Amino acid sequence: LILLGQVLELKARGRTSEAIKSLLGLAPKTARLIKKDGEESDVDLNLIQKGDRLRIRPGEKVPVDGVVIEGNSTLDESMVTGEAIPVHKESKDKLIGATINKTGSLIMEAEKVGSETLLSRIVTMVAEAQRSRAPIQNLADLAASYFVPAVIVVAIVTFIVWAIYGPQPSLTYALINAVAVLIIACPCALGLATPMSIMVAMGKGASSGILYKNAEAIENMRKVDLLLVDKTGTLTKGHPEVLGVVPSDKADKETLLKLAASLEKGSEHPLAEAIIKAADGITLEDVNDFDSVAGKGIKGVIKEEIVLLGNMAMMKDHGIELGTLNEEFKQREENAQTVMFLAKNNVLMGFISVSDPIKDGMRETISALQDKQIKVVMLTGDNTGTARAVAKELGIDDFEAQLLPEDKVKALKKYKAEGYTIAMAGDGINDAPALALADVGIAMGTGADIAMQTADLTLVKGDLKKILQARKLSDITIRNIKQNLFFAFVYNSLGIPIAAGVLYPYFGILLSPIIAAAAMSFSSVSVIANALRLQRKGIK
């Protein structure tokens, strides 16, 4: 029975290790090393050392954490920050391993390799969480602090009673029965009850993209009744998309997109990618005298005609009136869309509206959270109009806009004073103070470095729907632990009177220490087998 218990425990550890290893699949297997003589070759990632120069070609993953020393490009850092808007990188900018290089070629210097990289720290985080203690373990410890002395007293009393009143050889009976009491009462299973469930739950969570930092977070998650959530990259996709192409009577939609995308070819603005994507399949024009006007837009010459693409401020600078498009513009703006006007030779051709769309299924997710009696409040640094439009569309209970990091902390403290158990979901450095203060801090994506360090729970893919899964995992884990505590005590509690010999006067039944040992081992096997059931439980 003891051997069977060890086999089951090793099986659980093995599956947990596999779940953790699968996370490392996010990292590339090789890196392109630039040697001192300038020769380049692909080498195994494990051979990369600090200070090595590496080339990252378009479409490749950044192999390790480091810094750009040559070139410029845009990178998809969504798996790190939760923000899928491509980030421009140039000399001296930091790079994070496993993020994706989208356009240009970069040469980087490796700064963090091996166990120091972000992905490796995720694995470490899960391993540490498996070793952490849940508060419910204190209940088991408290029970054991009374149970063990009581058992010792029962064993002593059993020895004395059998030694005085037992049949001959009385001392033999007294010794055997006292030993049987001690063996069957051995609370070995008590020590496994919580750690086994926590270990299996951590592995199950990791395989679903849910990384708990510690066991306490698992227990607290089921008590959460208020979710404070950031907007960009959490509720929204974090990358802009063209939602509307509205021409004036001077142009048509294709002409409008063609001119806008031709201009945006030379721009590095995040909105440029959305427009170019929308114009896929349209032959673009060459642009001369391209210029970027900070905070307003861009301009250039196409076929000897001056073309402007920018916001209302740029139109006002050139004395361009909106005319019949004014009402449509106001309506788009109220719906949290960014509007870019296009004019040719100071004549308005129309506008293109771009927005950061809400993630698929987010309305249903918010509704499901509310059905679980969790109040949802959005905290964002965006303007009030955008925040109101998103909150209205998602049916969010309340929102606070134009917040700085310290404002988010104040808001959290206010709700805490009202008696809520709070989960805070954020995706960047600005959310870190609030994540640390919340009862359960939730880092979206894998979070910025500091966000991940301060959060109690990390959702690898930045999917808010995973919060529901994390809550369900919390529920079934704590239920499983309580079942384990029952199994840990039930055999002992039922077996102690029999081992002490209370049935002997009536039925002549005594419990051999061998049988007592088997019963004690069986309680451990029961606990391990019950903990392993967690692996088959659905959390979706």
Side-chain angles (χ1 to χ4, degrees):
L1 283 168
I2 291 171
L3 184 59
L4 176 61
Q6 290 175 339
V7 169
L8 291 172
E9 186 175 355
L10 284 172
K11 183 180 178 183
R13 290 185 183 277
R15 287 187 181 177
T16 301
S17 297
E18 286 172 15
I20 296 172
K21 287 173 184 175
S22 68
L23 296 174
L24 292 175
L26 293 169
K29 306 300 180 190
T30 61
R32 192 160 187 83
L33 177 66
I34 303 175
K35 299 177 182 177
K36 291 182 179 179
D37 59 5
E39 184 183 339
E40 298 183 13
S41 62
D42 291 326
V43 299
D44 190 275
L45 197 64
N46 295 327
L47 300 177
I48 300 302
Q49 299 179 349
K50 290 181 183 179
D52 281 349
R53 292 192 307 149
L54 310 171
R55 182 179 296 281
I56 312 158
R57 292 164 293 193
E60 291 184 336
K61 289 184 177 181
V62 177
V64 294
D65 298 356
V67 63
V68 177
I69 56 176
E70 189 179 316
N72 63 81
S73 181
T74 55
L75 275 83
D76 179 0
E77 294 189 336
S78 57
M79 59 81 64
V80 178
T81 64
E83 301 284 351
I85 295 178
V87 181
H88 181 70
K89 298 287 185 179
E90 55 188 29
S91 182
K92 298 184 180 178
D93 285 340
K94 295 288 184 180
L95 296 175
I96 299 173
T99 54
I100 302 169
N101 182 28
K102 300 197 73 176
T103 52
S105 178
L106 295 173
I107 296 177
M108 68 172 289
E109 181 179 317
E111 289 187 336
K112 293 180 180 178
V113 299
S115 62
E116 297 177 351
T117 63
L118 182 65
L119 282 176
S120 295
R121 290 202 299 277
I122 290 177
V123 176
T124 302
M125 213 168 89
V126 176
E128 288 176 351
Q130 289 175 339
R131 293 192 295 269
S132 64
R133 287 169 55 92
I136 197 171
Q137 178 71 41
N138 297 330
L139 176 63
D141 293 345
L142 181 65
S145 68
Y146 290 101
F147 181 74
V148 173
V151 167
I152 293 173
V153 170
V154 170
I156 293 171
V157 171
T158 298
F159 182 85
I160 293 171
V161 170
W162 277 93
I164 296 174
Y165 302 105
Q168 293 300 321
S170 59
L171 284 179
T172 301
Y173 278 107
L175 184 62
I176 288 175
N177 290 324
V179 169
V181 167
L182 289 173
I183 290 174
I184 200 166
C186 181
C188 298
L190 201 60
L192 291 171
T194 300
M196 278 301 300
S197 294
I198 292 297
M199 184 184 68
V200 175
M202 292 295 179
K204 187 174 184 64
S207 63
S208 299
I210 301 168
L211 305 177
Y212 277 104
K213 186 177 183 181
N214 51 50
E216 185 177 0
I218 285 188
E219 190 165 345
N220 286 341
M221 190 66 203
R222 60 198 291 269
K223 303 173 187 173
V224 167
D225 53 8
L226 172 65
L227 174 65
L228 301 179
V229 61
D230 183 36
K231 181 184 76 67
T232 306
T234 304
L235 297 173
T236 63
K237 291 183 179 179
H239 59 82
E241 292 180 5
V242 171
L243 295 188
V245 180
V246 183
S248 68
D249 56 4
K250 306 291 185 183
D252 55 43
K253 288 187 177 182
E254 185 171 331
T255 302
L256 197 60
L257 267 177
K258 183 177 186 175
L259 292 172
S262 297
L263 273 180
E264 292 286 22
K265 279 194 305 182
S267 173
E268 294 172 351
H269 195 279
L271 299 180
E273 187 175 350
I275 293 176
I276 293 170
K277 184 178 179 181
D280 186 39
I282 298 175
T283 304
L284 304 183
E285 303 286 355
D286 293 328
V287 179
N288 297 315
D289 300 328
F290 176 85
D291 188 23
S292 176
V293 183
K296 295 181 180 180
I298 55 178
K299 61 183 179 179
V301 176
I302 299 176
K303 291 185 176 178
E304 300 182 356
E305 293 181 305
I306 299 173
V307 182
L308 310 174
L309 180 67
N311 56 22
M312 176 67 85
M314 177 176 260
M315 297 301 107
K316 285 182 177 178
D317 287 349
H318 290 81
I320 300 170
E321 299 291 335
L322 300 188
T324 57
L325 296 181
N326 191 46
E327 286 302 316
E328 180 78 13
F329 159 64
K330 287 181 179 178
Q331 187 178 347
R332 299 271 179 173
E333 199 170 46
E334 285 175 5
N335 289 329
Q337 297 180 25
T338 300
V339 174
M340 292 176 288
F341 299 97
L342 188 135
K344 185 169 69 173
N345 293 334
N346 285 354
V347 176
L348 185 65
M349 307 295 285
F351 68 74
I352 297 172
S353 65
V354 179
S355 180
D356 180 7
I358 290 168
K359 288 181 178 178
D360 297 334
M362 193 52 62
R363 181 69 183 87
E364 292 76 11
T365 299
I366 297 297
S367 179
L369 287 165
Q370 292 166 338
D371 289 344
K372 294 286 186 182
Q373 308 304 313
I374 299 175
K375 178 183 173 74
V376 182
V377 177
M378 182 174 69
L379 305 181
T380 179
D382 276 358
N383 64 70
T384 304
T386 300
R388 182 180 291 109
V390 172
K392 182 180 178 181
E393 185 172 345
L394 293 177
I396 288 176
D397 301 310
D398 199 2
F399 72 90
E400 295 186 32
Q402 295 176 305
L403 300 181
L404 297 172
E406 55 266 32
D407 297 325
K408 291 185 179 183
V409 171
K410 288 177 184 176
L412 194 149
K413 287 180 177 178
K414 178 187 74 175
Y415 287 112
K416 217 167 191 178
E418 295 175 9
Y420 286 104
T421 301
I422 300 172
M424 169 70 192
D427 64 332
I429 293 172
N430 62 323
D431 297 313
L435 291 174
L437 188 63
D439 296 294
V440 181
I442 302 171
M444 304 301 290
T446 50
D449 222 13
I450 189 169
M452 199 172 136
Q453 289 170 7
T454 53
D456 303 296
L457 171 63
T458 299
L459 306 181
V460 174
K461 295 181 180 178
D463 186 356
L464 198 67
K465 291 193 284 290
K466 294 288 184 182
I467 291 179
L468 287 167
Q469 294 184 27
R471 186 180 175 87
K472 187 169 183 181
L473 181 61
S474 170
D475 279 335
I476 63 174
T477 302
I478 298 304
R479 195 182 311 127
N480 190 266
I481 289 172
K482 289 178 178 178
Q483 292 166 354
N484 286 348
L485 292 175
F486 171 78
F487 285 128
F489 277 114
V490 67
Y491 297 114
N492 312 68
S493 302
L494 293 175
I496 287 172
I498 300 172
V502 296
L503 297 180
Y504 185 78
Y506 309 102
F507 305 105
I509 296 174
L510 286 176
L511 193 65
S512 163
I514 297 171
I515 302 300
M520 179 270 290
S521 299
F522 192 70
S523 67
S524 297
V525 171
S526 299
V527 164
I528 295 168
N530 188 56
L532 285 171
R533 286 194 317 115
L534 275 175
Q535 292 176 331
R536 298 191 298 273
K537 291 280 188 179
I539 60 173
K540 292 185 179 179

